[in-house]
Amino acid sequence: MDTRFLGTADLVEAPSVAVVVDVMRAFTVAAWAFAQGAEKIVLAESLDGALALKARHPDWAALKDGPPAPGFDLVNSPGLLRSVDLRGRTVVQKTTAGTVGALAVKEASLVLCAGFVVAEATARLLRAHSSDSVTFVVTGEDGQADEDLACAQYIARRATEAGTEAGTDAAGFLRRAAQSRAAAELAEGVRQGVHPDDVALCLEVDRFPFAMVAALEGPLMVFRPRGESG
């Protein structure tokens, strides 16, 4: 399997298969939203767009980066989200990097959104898809975020190991992520809308057994969980 690792701005055309990685925190949060019962997640292109979707669908829950804001129900923190009951609900998500990266590859034939928490399920789906080429979109810091690159490289390694459970050790990749600028900013309170457990929750490998598949549904980019049988 040929792999490429690109920042969002480096994408010049839609790849066939794309894995969009945002460890801290968009796609860790998304996985937690599914674990808390969310049916699907709709990606918004802007904060105003998220609020417009919420206005048309009052039962949907709108989620954003940073501190709480009028009109938004949730913030982009796994530590805060894990106590929220989202059973049967649709979440509208707008973040600084993750959602932007996913929307940039919306024309791809397969789009997976990933973090460490769904690493093996994502790798398993890639193995099942048997693609010759996969583009990993490193969303943070203009493609330079080491937590996202480390996760992307880990998933890529796992995807080529023919499904063996005793494969690549995650420790070195997690160490890089733990030492990243994003981890430091979260731990030091530089970013807002943060829970003290956020970094640790973002570094849990294979916390969830599903991958997250995004696809266009009409005009909206929507992603849903997909397990081994899904």
Side-chain angles (χ1 to χ4, degrees):
M1 183 177 70
D2 179 51
T3 56
R4 296 188 302 163
F5 303 89
L6 301 176
T8 302
D10 299 321
L11 295 163
V12 295
E13 60 183 5
S16 175
V17 177
V19 180
V20 188
V21 181
D22 190 328
V23 173
M24 297 183 186
R25 294 164 286 171
F27 297 145
T28 301
V29 165
W32 271 98
F34 289 129
Q36 293 303 105
E39 178 184 346
K40 64 180 183 289
I41 295 176
V42 176
L43 302 182
E45 295 189 3
S46 66
L47 294 176
D48 288 343
L51 290 176
L53 285 168
K54 169 77 174 177
R56 293 200 296 273
H57 305 277
D59 57 324
W60 289 10
L63 183 154
K64 64 177 283 293
D65 271 334
F72 286 89
D73 308 277
L74 308 165
V75 296
N76 194 41
S77 161
L80 295 172
L81 193 71
R82 63 184 170 178
S83 61
V84 179
D85 184 356
L86 293 171
R87 281 176 291 185
R89 299 190 70 183
T90 294
V91 174
V92 180
Q93 187 180 35
K94 170 66 180 89
T95 68
T96 305
T99 60
V100 175
L103 288 166
V105 292
K106 62 185 178 182
E107 303 295 338
S109 61
L110 176 65
V111 179
L112 305 179
C113 298
F116 282 109
V117 292
V118 294
E120 174 55 27
T122 304
R124 186 185 305 121
L125 201 156
L126 288 173
R127 291 194 296 266
H129 194 266
S130 300
S131 175
D132 293 332
S133 176
V134 178
T135 296
F136 288 85
V137 183
V138 179
T139 61
E141 299 177 31
D142 297 322
Q144 302 302 309
D146 203 32
E147 75 281 3
D148 292 340
L149 182 58
C151 182
Q153 291 171 337
Y154 176 66
I155 293 171
R157 190 81 60 85
R158 296 291 293 148
T160 60
E161 289 176 340
T164 58
E165 292 299 325
T168 298
D169 186 358
F173 298 94
L174 291 172
R175 187 161 49 249
R176 285 168 54 194
Q179 295 170 350
S180 67
R181 185 169 78 175
E185 289 180 352
L186 289 173
E188 295 166 7
V190 173
R191 302 186 184 188
Q192 295 180 292
V194 176
H195 186 280
D197 293 341
D198 278 357
V199 172
L201 291 173
C202 289
L203 299 180
E204 289 186 320
V205 178
D206 303 334
R207 172 73 187 245
F208 304 113
F210 52 80
M212 299 185 293
V213 181
L216 286 169
E217 297 185 12
L220 300 177
M221 186 68 165
V222 179
F223 65 105
R224 303 172 186 269
R226 183 184 297 179
E228 289 187 73
S229 61

